[in-house]
Amino acid sequence: MSLQRFIQHALSEWMKGKGPQSDIVISSRVRIARNLSGLPFPMLATSSQSAEVVRRVEKALHQAKKHPVLGDAELIRMDDLNELQKRVLVEKHLISPQLAEESRHGAVILSKNEAVSIMINEEDHLRIQCLFPGFQPDDAWRLADQLDDWFEEHLSYAFNEECGFLTSCPTNVGTGIRASVMVHLPALAMTQQLNRLFPAITQVGLAVRGIYGEGSEALGNLYQVSNQVTLGQREDEIIDKLQGVVMQMIEHEQNARRRLRETSPIQLEDRIHRSYGILSHARFISTKEAMERLSDVRLGVDMGLLNNVSASVMNELMVMTQPGFLQQFAGQRLDPEERDIRRAVLIRERLSTEGNPEESGKTR
Amino acid sequence: MLCQECGKRPATLHYTKIINGEKTEFHLCEVCAQEKGEQMPGAEGGFSIHHLLSGLLNFDSHPQAGGQEQTGVKQETLRCPTCGLTYSQFSKIGRFGCSDCYQAFRERLGPLFRRVHGHTAHRGKVPQRTGGQLKIQREIERLKSELNQRVANEEFEEAARLRDRIRALREKLES
């Protein structure tokens, strides 16, 4: 498979698209947890009950032929995918590691542009997820809300008046909504301000995590900010609060970038160009180093200090240099050392096609 | 606040563990929490919110129950009739087995929800289709109590009007 074709095939809309505030906010996501009434939650469901969940959802989906989003969506069963294919879906943030590894009769409905992914038989029967580029949690919520309404017309949800939508885990009960925004905060990290920022965020009831969710390490200065409370607040209140807090984070990051430019412009440029140099010439690079260097280069692009690369290339590379993607691209399983070599090749090739003046003229 | 383990990174996980009535507070950063998670029994695959959660659930003892044993007995007998999950199992795994668990464990959930969410009642979205029926049911209940009041006051004309409205709503519910 050619690199170009693989990229086109491999990229989700959120990686290609330029959204609002995309110099700092990578993506906005909303997921809604729902369960069907009359069937135990996936943890206790028998194999035939789990199969029944998929059957009901698939039957509903058959009635969605004319739906603008679900009309051309595809239902993919985990059992039909190999390990590498599942891993790629995880790295593209379309499914969770749990669905890939542990689910029984797990499946996912993917819209054509991959902005919508609906997991079946993960922790809950349904996890409706909308992923948008840039800072637009309200748009992601609106779409998730519409899809939820559509499914509710065709399926009976587990709901009670007092507790709202019933979920497997008590941390999701009520609205079942988890809204999260992925932010790139290199300047705050460089100026050591995250230590002060994060405790403040947790104090207002939001959580900060690394990019692959719970317990994952923060690679490449990328952080996920999300709501914790799902019960007792309306969905729009939850979204508004998250939006307000992230808006302030954006402002802090902008200020930190401005200050860096004012106080240490040479050091900043040096760091960015050094990282660019390493990425375009390295023969061997780990995920961790690649993510750090990509973060620097991305900062350079976003601050206008580096003109021969586009921001979307940075988005692509941040996903494509992950282990699963590399192996998918290579078409075989690779040991860590081989991965580091392939990763370096991939980054070099991508940056060199990008550095071509004709190509970059188009992207800018 | 800095992490109590490494003293370098900010503490992002704060929780209290109670074992045999002995209270220990933890303030950890993600990195140390993960390391610690591996030392904790049953915390395979790291330190997740569910492990914290089961700590919260165990914490939930009834002061009026009096005595450890009685509380233990009560936990054991609290069982969801639909899926068979007991409250003590729920408190270990931090997950409900089915939607009926919410009803079965109802009396114990208030304090838990308050700790996790700060609230106990849903204020968000209501299902359009089945939620519509819910609204009608609530309206019927409200009209019925008003009807009883009118009858008691011998306001029969108004009572008859209410009876017709209830009948209309019931028909709507069945259609």
Side-chain angles (χ1 to χ4, degrees), chain A residues 145 148 155 161-162 167-168, chain B residues 96-97 102 122 125 129 138:
Chain A
D145 186 28
D148 177 44
L155 298 165
E161 256 175 277
E162 204 189 341
T167 54
S168 169
Chain B
F96 293 105
Y102 280 87
H122 178 58
K125 207 173 159 177
R129 189 167 48 88
R138 271 195 208 169

Side-chain angles (χ1 to χ4, degrees), chain A residues 30-32 34 57 60-61 64 67-73 109-111 113-119 126-132 139-155 157, chain B residues 125 128:
Chain A
V30 169
R31 77 116 172 86
I32 302 179
R34 295 287 186 258
V57 176
L61 195 63
H67 191 279
V69 178
L70 297 171
D72 56 9
I109 298 171
L110 290 180
S111 71
N113 63 5
E114 299 182 357
V116 175
S117 69
I118 301 166
M119 291 191 277
L126 283 181
R127 287 273 174 110
I128 302 168
Q129 176 183 276
C130 297
L131 188 54
F132 280 44
D139 290 332
W141 155 242
R142 262 193 293 279
L143 179 58
D145 186 28
Q146 283 168 18
L147 293 170
D148 177 44
D149 287 346
W150 189 88
F151 275 104
E152 199 261 323
E153 263 174 54
H154 298 84
L155 298 165
Y157 281 159
Chain B
K125 207 173 159 177
Q128 300 284 315

Side-chain angles (χ1 to χ4, degrees), chain B:
Chain B
M1 181 183 284
L2 288 176
C3 170
Q4 66 183 47
E5 287 286 313
C6 62
K8 287 178 203 148
R9 290 170 287 262
T12 50
L13 287 165
H14 310 273
Y15 68 103
T16 307
K17 207 159 111 181
I18 298 188
I19 300 166
N20 297 329
E22 201 177 312
K23 203 168 138 187
T24 326
E25 279 189 30
F26 290 93
H27 306 281
L28 302 172
C29 68
E30 288 267 358
V31 180
C32 294
Q34 204 136 32
E35 278 169 20
K36 214 166 172 56
E38 280 162 18
Q39 293 161 17
M40 281 169 64
E44 287 148 11
F47 193 87
S48 78
I49 183 112
H50 303 296
H51 301 120
L52 287 181
L53 192 69
S54 58
L56 281 180
L57 292 159
N58 285 324
F59 179 68
D60 182 28
S61 62
H62 278 203
Q64 72 270 24
Q68 290 269 320
E69 258 173 53
Q70 225 176 323
T71 323
V73 169
K74 203 170 174 217
Q75 276 194 12
E76 213 36 69
T77 50
L78 205 55
R79 180 188 286 272
C80 171
T82 310
C83 69
L85 192 81
T86 65
Y87 187 83
S88 67
Q89 284 174 319
F90 164 65
S91 71
K92 272 196 203 86
I93 49 184
R95 309 282 176 83
F96 293 105
C98 70
S99 49
D100 292 337
C101 292
Y102 280 87
Q103 192 55 39
F105 306 150
R106 194 162 178 263
E107 53 178 299
R108 311 291 298 269
L109 296 179
L112 166 67
F113 287 167
R114 201 166 289 118
R115 266 197 299 279
V116 175
H117 299 286
H119 304 271
T120 56
H122 178 58
R123 276 181 56 226
K125 207 173 159 177
V126 164
Q128 300 284 315
R129 189 167 48 88
T130 49
Q133 292 185 338
L134 216 91
K135 275 183 209 151
I136 296 171
Q137 258 162 13
R138 271 195 208 169
E139 179 70 0
I140 290 174
E141 275 158 33
R142 197 185 61 80
L143 291 175
K144 268 204 299 210
S145 69
E146 196 184 331
L147 175 70
N148 290 340
Q149 193 61 42
R150 299 281 184 189
V151 172
N153 295 345
E154 301 187 4
E155 297 169 67
F156 298 116
E157 223 172 289
E158 187 62 18
R161 203 180 56 80
L162 286 170
R163 191 199 53 211
D164 290 345
R165 273 179 65 193
I166 292 170
R167 192 175 294 155
L169 284 176
R170 281 217 176 108
E171 274 164 20
K172 200 172 156 191
L173 206 58
E174 272 152 33
S175 67

Side-chain angles (χ1 to χ4, degrees), chain A residues 168-314:
Chain A
S168 169
C169 182
T171 55
N172 293 320
V173 72
T175 55
I177 188 178
R178 188 81 66 214
S180 64
V181 175
M182 200 202 285
V183 285
H184 183 224
L185 306 174
L188 285 174
M190 277 182 221
T191 53
Q192 323 243 307
Q193 292 183 76
L194 293 176
N195 307 2
R196 282 189 300 152
L197 185 64
F198 288 170
I201 292 168
T202 45
Q203 249 160 35
V204 296
L206 299 177
V208 188
R209 299 190 180 111
I211 50 170
Y212 288 104
E214 229 166 72
S216 66
E217 203 181 339
L219 284 172
N221 299 312
L222 291 172
Y223 294 92
Q224 221 167 233
V225 189
S226 61
N227 67 298
Q228 287 292 78
V229 172
T230 58
L231 182 70
Q233 294 180 358
R234 285 198 321 269
E235 290 85 351
D236 55 322
E237 294 171 333
I238 291 169
I239 301 287
D240 279 354
K241 181 171 162 190
L242 178 72
Q243 221 161 356
V245 171
V246 173
M247 221 115 82
Q248 287 186 30
M249 292 172 81
I250 293 172
E251 219 169 280
H252 285 303
E253 172 67 19
Q254 280 167 342
N255 288 337
R257 289 182 187 186
R258 207 172 302 128
R259 265 199 304 280
L260 275 178
R261 198 201 284 269
E262 283 163 10
T263 56
S264 34
I266 298 294
Q267 290 89 329
L268 181 65
E269 275 195 56
D270 179 68
R271 176 167 172 161
I272 289 163
H273 285 274
R274 242 169 228 280
S275 288
Y276 182 69
I278 289 172
L279 288 176
S280 31
H281 295 285
R283 297 303 196 251
F284 192 90
I285 194 163
S286 69
T287 309
K288 192 160 184 268
E289 182 179 3
M291 289 299 275
E292 281 165 11
R293 304 294 176 194
L294 287 168
S295 169
D296 287 345
V297 172
R298 196 190 159 114
L299 177 67
V301 173
D302 290 335
M303 290 181 75
L305 297 171
L306 208 60
N307 295 318
N308 47 348
V309 204
S310 71
S312 65
V313 169
M314 292 298 107

